[in-house]
């Protein structure tokens, strides 16, 4: 039997691309910070944000 997709799983899968886009934006902000213009966080902190967003993006896609 095929597994029925619940509403929560559908919402999590549709949220995954948004989280991955956020991770890419965080990497871009980190690169801008590396060039000398820190925007709200330091470059290393933006990389941490990017890794967390990417991790949750992959988790939501596979869940």
């Amino acid at each position: 039997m095929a597994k029925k997709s619940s509403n929560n799983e559908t919402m999590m899968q549709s949220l995954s691309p948004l989280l991955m886009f956020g991770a890419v934006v965080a990497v871009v902000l980190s690169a801008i910070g590396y060039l000398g213009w820190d925007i709200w966080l330091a470059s290393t902190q933006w990389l941490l944000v990017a890794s967390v967003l990417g991790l949750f993006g992959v988790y939501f896609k596979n869940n």
Side-chain angles (χ1 to χ4, degrees), residues 3 5 9 15 20 22 31 33-34 38-39 42 47-48 52 56 60:
K3 179 182 169 189
S5 178
E9 289 177 3
L15 188 61
M20 295 305 283
Y34 176 75
D38 283 336
I39 300 174
L47 289 176
L48 287 171
V52 169
F56 275 109
F60 283 174

Side-chain angles (χ1 to χ4, degrees), residues 9-56:
E9 289 177 3
T10 306
M11 192 240 352
M12 288 173 66
Q13 285 182 347
S14 64
L15 188 61
S16 177
L18 182 64
L19 290 170
M20 295 305 283
F21 178 73
V24 170
V25 169
V27 168
V28 169
L29 289 172
S30 173
I32 291 171
Y34 176 75
L35 295 175
W37 299 292
D38 283 336
I39 300 174
W40 195 41
L41 294 175
S43 298
T44 53
Q45 293 168 329
W46 279 120
L47 289 176
L48 287 171
V49 169
S51 15
V52 169
L53 288 174
L55 179 69
F56 275 109

